[in-house]
Amino acid sequence: MYPTCAQQLALLEQCGHARYVWNLALEQWSMWTRDKGATPGYVEQARQLTEARAAFGWLRAGSQTVQQQALRDFHQAVRNFYTGTHRRPTWRKAGLREGFRIVGSQASRVVTLSRKWAAVNVPKVGWIRFRLSRPIPAAKSYRIARDRMGRWHLAFAVIPPPVPAPGTGEVVGIDRGVNVSAALSTGELLSCPGLSETEHSRLKHLQRRLSRCRRSSKRRQRIKAAIAKLHARAADRRKDWVEKTSTALARRFEVIRVEDLRIVQMTRHPKPKPDPEHPGSYLPNHRRAKAGLNRGILANGWGLLVQRLEHKAAGRVEKVNPAYTSQTCSVCRHRAPDNRESQAVFRCTACGHQANADVNAAVNVAAGRAVSARRGTPVRVSPKREPQHATSA
Ligand SMILES: [Zn+2]
């Protein structure tokens, strides 16, 4: 989207209102205690919003749709958290993932200006021009978002039809590694582009300079913007790769088998481990190592790839328990930790089969050979929890 300077200010104000309402709702939700009765739901919070709008002029000056929608979005986030598909809603921060949503009849005020350009009438802001990246769909709502680099985006909420299956019956297994982003059972290795060597060292350099800057100095702001630009560039490349790869895979293969890795759980911060012999001190919990792994996982865009595959090849993605896929020979099914000669090379100690370790694992995933004990189990089971006996009532 290409708003004028005045429009940008108006949009930022709306983002601020949405953020304010969201954070207030989050605060109320997370500070709520049992003795206060039922946690306020959407209806109650919407009523409070009406009261707040009556009391505060600056809030009343903003769009009611935007503020109400922030509340609705928050309640959707809470629902997703309780279903176990998403993590706990977090605070909205200024300048990070800012945005708001417009719904209903207000969302239909869109005109096409030419083959490449269109304009949207945003409540309280006016007509803003935007570039068409695809034909405008028949959508009931849209979201306006501003990324860290200060670029504005307009996204219409529609679920596109899934990619049709090729009808060949071909099955592919995907193993997601850290060295390469994904290995296919066909032997192909795919890697998700990130930052180049030079960009990486520039990022490190900027981060060092940032730490030496005085708070709220002009220089600090400039360096922060430069860092945001690099992050945005990496994210753009990652997203582009994920979209292209997922479409290609959905078109080529009938069934796509992936490892059922709990990214959400894998990337969680490790808990501090108290030392039983010295109360008050802690044992190493490998926090730094895990943080490095987190970066690797997120940089490779694992979760996003599977998520997009599930959207595009709906019903054709199968999740396989990844236990032992990396230790099992894909030819003779001999399983031993020694099979893994190194991080990259697999050599079977029984039949001598040698292959790229990730490809070998991908073949196992494709065969669905790994125990699929997890299938059919509830979405969220703590890995630390002991298996429970079924109790007779
Ligand atoms: Zn073997």
Side-chain angles (χ1 to χ4, degrees):
M1 248 177 25
Y2 295 84
T4 62
C5 283
Q7 285 174 334
Q8 283 201 39
L9 287 179
L11 285 172
L12 275 176
E13 202 167 307
Q14 304 262 42
C15 289
H17 291 160
R19 184 174 70 236
Y20 177 80
V21 171
W22 170 286
N23 283 343
L24 216 54
L26 176 61
E27 190 179 343
Q28 198 175 49
W29 179 67
S30 47
M31 299 292 205
W32 206 255
T33 50
R34 222 170 271 176
D35 55 293
K36 290 186 195 164
T39 327
Y42 169 73
V43 178
E44 168 58 19
Q45 286 191 330
R47 194 190 59 75
Q48 291 176 13
L49 176 65
T50 314
E51 270 177 26
R53 277 175 67 87
F56 302 101
W58 64 269
L59 204 56
R60 192 163 53 240
S63 153
Q64 192 178 8
T65 319
V66 166
Q67 294 164 16
Q68 253 174 18
Q69 214 49 48
L71 276 185
R72 273 219 183 87
D73 289 348
F74 175 74
H75 282 278
Q76 184 60 48
V78 170
R79 259 202 303 282
N80 291 345
F81 170 64
Y82 283 132
T83 352
T85 54
H86 291 66
R87 296 172 79 164
R88 182 174 267 275
T90 52
W91 301 106
R92 290 255 171 102
K93 288 184 191 136
L96 275 182
R97 289 188 308 149
E98 291 233 68
F100 57 89
R101 214 144 65 87
I102 300 290
V103 293
S105 58
Q106 287 181 324
S108 58
R109 294 182 205 146
V110 183
V111 290
T112 316
L113 303 172
S114 68
R115 208 163 58 82
K116 289 270 172 70
W117 290 91
V120 59
N121 190 350
V122 181
K124 309 259 175 188
V125 182
W127 288 98
I128 304 178
R129 295 206 316 150
F130 66 95
R131 234 182 130 74
L132 290 166
S133 56
R134 62 183 70 199
I136 299 174
K140 291 197 180 68
S141 80
Y142 63 76
R143 184 175 165 81
I144 288 176
R146 181 181 181 273
D147 65 18
R148 278 169 163 217
M149 252 174 91
R151 296 174 298 187
W152 290 92
H153 304 275
L154 176 70
F156 292 93
V158 273
I159 298 172
V163 176
T168 53
E170 210 179 332
V171 179
V172 73
I174 310 176
D175 180 69
R176 291 166 291 176
V178 177
N179 291 338
V180 281
S181 303
L184 304 189
S185 52
T186 55
E188 288 156 83
L189 299 174
L190 313 172
S191 71
C192 172
L195 293 178
S196 69
E197 278 303 309
T198 20
E199 285 166 333
H200 213 90
S201 45
R202 186 173 144 71
L203 181 65
K204 279 271 138 66
H205 171 73
L206 285 170
Q207 280 168 340
R208 270 198 302 275
R209 275 182 62 192
L210 182 73
S211 65
R212 285 196 296 262
C213 284
R214 252 179 307 122
R215 267 188 92 81
S216 70
S217 65
K218 268 262 163 60
R219 176 178 296 168
R220 191 187 156 89
Q221 272 176 21
R222 222 174 28 239
I223 296 176
K224 254 190 130 164
I227 290 177
K229 204 167 164 180
L230 278 174
H231 278 306
R233 197 180 291 167
D236 285 352
R237 284 182 196 154
R238 198 159 55 225
K239 257 177 104 177
D240 185 56
W241 177 82
V242 163
E243 293 301 333
K244 283 176 181 157
T245 309
S246 54
T247 304
L249 289 170
R251 276 200 194 130
R252 269 175 70 192
F253 300 102
E254 192 86 28
V255 177
I256 301 156
R257 295 216 173 105
V258 293
E259 315 153 83
D260 184 11
L261 294 181
R262 303 289 152 95
I263 306 266
V264 180
Q265 280 168 5
M266 278 185 70
T267 53
R268 192 157 292 165
H269 294 298
K271 274 208 179 101
K273 232 192 241 170
D275 191 343
E277 286 174 17
H278 305 277
S281 62
Y282 293 88
L283 291 171
N285 65 352
H286 308 294
R287 190 186 173 105
R288 293 313 309 163
K290 192 127 189 200
L293 180 66
N294 284 352
R295 267 198 298 278
I297 291 171
L298 299 174
N300 282 337
W302 283 7
L304 191 59
L305 181 66
V306 173
Q307 197 185 21
R308 295 302 286 146
L309 273 174
E310 283 181 324
H311 293 156
K312 292 177 184 178
R316 295 192 282 129
V317 177
E318 290 177 8
K319 287 191 173 172
V320 177
N321 185 335
Y324 307 116
T325 44
S326 61
Q327 297 179 7
T328 309
C329 173
S330 59
V331 175
C332 72
R333 304 183 63 173
H334 174 66
R335 189 183 109 198
D338 298 343
N339 281 351
R340 194 78 183 249
E341 198 176 79
S342 67
Q343 189 67 26
V345 180
F346 180 93
R347 184 181 289 140
C348 178
T349 52
C351 75
H353 169 68
Q354 194 177 330
N356 175 301
D358 290 325
V359 172
N360 177 71
V363 175
N364 286 332
V365 171
R369 253 173 212 162
V371 245
S372 49
R374 268 206 199 136
R375 243 195 250 159
T377 50
V379 196
R380 204 182 180 84
V381 177
S382 164
K384 285 181 223 118
R385 213 181 104 188
E386 298 277 326
Q388 302 287 312
H389 285 294
T391 47
S392 49

